[in-house]
């Protein structure tokens, strides 16, 4: 049903000083999938994403992107190999215009025609960004900034898009819109999605499969449908 393994994490471990954030994280993401990683505050979700994108160094384990080891490579190499991250809290550049924020997303690329096509694509996904291309990023609302952060990541033309809590701090209607766009990017743009979320309910409704992380370990994995029906998941993460 799914393509080959896009990304494989094998027994990843990572620490901040003597705080061991990841003890044993193994997971597989196939090409074309939407995978979610759910877990409580401090469980290790953001660290998992930062280990993949090369921002946090691993102490052990392997990270394979389409079968190639990427652990230890510099973050810009990993972006150039097709992995883009939308960080928690968005981190758009408030003083730069919308257009300049988007230009930063494509700065490693030299294919001008491709960049132009991707710019047209993100402006078609988010027409308000085209209208406000000369406005500074800091003047956008929280939800609009999230859309700009997603667009900036798309400008690197990723095969794998890593999203860190895109719903954080947003109103329910905005969350719905952002999740609908994530689905569109997956289907229309053929982009594999790895979504980290505390909002387990929304995330499992969007995803094909999910992993549950607790204290730096993957404790459960299943189809999103079955995780939604799992009484332990319901009790711990869905408030049922
Ligand atoms: P949240 O949903 O709150 O963002 P998370 O699941 O993403 O949580 P991480 O941010 O990956 O969790 O944190 C995992 C562990 O590592 C936690 O114990 C956290 O306190 C610790 N940690 C994270 N960043 C740092 C840091 N820069 N220095 C020291 N410890 C850190």
């Amino acid at each position: 049903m799914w393509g080959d393994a896009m990304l494989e994490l094998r027994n990843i471990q990572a620490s901040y000083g003597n705080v061991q954030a990841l003890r044993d994280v193994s997971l597989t993401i196939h090409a074309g999938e939407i995978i979610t990683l759910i877990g409580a505050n401090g469980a290790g979700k953001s660290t998992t994403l930062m280990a993949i994108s090369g921002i946090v160094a691993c102490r052990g384990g392997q990270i394979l992107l389409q079968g190639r080891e990427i652990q230890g490579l510099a973050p810009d190499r990993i972006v150039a190999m097709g992995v883009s991250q939308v960080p928690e809290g968005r981190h758009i550049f408030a003083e730069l215009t919308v257009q300049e924020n988007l230009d930063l997303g494509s700065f490693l690329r030299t294919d001008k025609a491709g960049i132009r096509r991707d710019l047209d694509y993100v402006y078609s996904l988010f027409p308000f960004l085209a209208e406000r291309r000369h406005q500074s990023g800091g003047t956008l609302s929280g939800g609009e900034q999230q859309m700009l952060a997603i667009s900036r990541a798309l400008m690197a033309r990723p095969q794998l898009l890593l999203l860190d809590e895109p719903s954080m701090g947003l109103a329910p209607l905005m969350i719905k819109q952002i999740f609908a766009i994530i689905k569109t990017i997956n289907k229309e743009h053929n982009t594999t999605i790895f979504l980290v979320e505390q909002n387990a309910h929304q995330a499992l409704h969007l995803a094909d499969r999910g992993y549950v992380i607790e204290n730096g370990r993957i404790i459960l994995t299943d189809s999103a449908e079955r995780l939604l029906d799992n009484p332990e998941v319901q009790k711990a993460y869905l408030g049922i």
Side-chain angles (χ1 to χ4, degrees):
M1 177 171 64
W2 300 109
D4 297 336
M6 169 71 74
L7 185 80
E8 237 187 297
L9 269 54
R10 295 186 182 158
N11 310 108
I12 287 300
Q13 293 147 40
S15 303
Y16 300 99
N18 48 21
V19 177
Q20 192 166 4
L22 302 182
R23 293 166 195 280
D24 184 7
V25 174
S26 295
L27 54 85
T28 303
I29 303 176
H30 298 107
E33 280 188 306
I34 301 181
I35 296 297
T36 188
L37 177 65
I38 60 173
N41 263 327
K45 303 183 298 297
S46 297
T47 306
T48 302
L49 288 193
M50 290 192 289
I52 297 167
S53 51
I55 298 164
V56 165
C58 295
R59 282 209 170 162
Q62 281 185 298
I63 303 180
L64 303 173
L65 179 69
Q66 294 175 319
R68 283 194 289 173
E69 175 67 83
I70 59 168
Q71 214 218 118
L73 296 183
D76 60 338
R77 284 279 314 277
I78 295 173
V79 173
M81 288 169 81
V83 181
S84 287
Q85 182 171 354
V86 182
E88 185 177 322
R90 346 223 210 267
H91 296 282
I92 61 133
F93 293 91
E95 305 299 324
L96 300 185
T97 65
V98 164
Q99 180 67 57
E100 287 164 341
N101 269 277
L102 293 174
D103 291 345
L104 285 175
S106 60
F107 90 106
L108 290 172
R109 296 173 60 182
T110 50
D111 58 323
K112 284 209 170 93
I115 294 171
R116 184 69 241 171
R117 255 197 318 277
D118 288 336
L119 190 62
D120 289 345
Y121 179 69
V122 300
Y123 281 151
S124 73
L125 274 181
F126 302 112
F128 78 92
L129 287 179
E131 288 158 22
R132 302 190 196 178
R133 66 177 79 197
H134 301 302
Q135 198 170 312
S136 64
T139 62
L140 301 178
S141 74
E144 289 166 351
Q145 289 187 18
Q146 183 65 63
M147 294 175 182
L148 177 57
I150 293 171
S151 300
R152 184 182 56 193
L154 288 177
M155 289 306 297
R157 182 155 267 282
Q159 297 184 68
L160 174 63
L161 183 64
L162 311 175
L163 294 157
D164 197 347
E165 305 229 13
S167 76
M168 187 185 269
L170 302 183
L173 191 61
M174 187 56 88
I175 296 175
K176 229 176 138 186
Q177 282 179 22
I178 298 236
F179 276 49
I181 290 285
I182 295 169
K183 185 127 211 160
T184 302
I185 293 166
N186 171 251
K187 295 277 168 277
E188 281 183 2
H189 211 235
N190 199 20
T191 308
T192 306
I193 307 277
F194 188 32
L195 169 68
V196 155
E197 262 298 338
Q198 272 197 49
N199 190 334
H201 190 77
Q202 295 275 3
L204 289 171
H205 275 98
L206 177 74
D208 300 302
R209 291 189 298 121
Y211 288 84
V212 181
I213 186 168
E214 216 175 83
N215 292 322
R217 287 180 207 281
I218 299 293
I219 56 153
L220 185 61
T221 179
D222 212 333
S223 70
E225 216 172 308
R226 280 194 292 269
L227 289 173
L228 279 166
D229 281 340
N230 180 315
E232 281 171 43
V233 172
Q234 290 181 345
K235 188 159 166 263
Y237 302 105
L238 299 171
I240 296 175

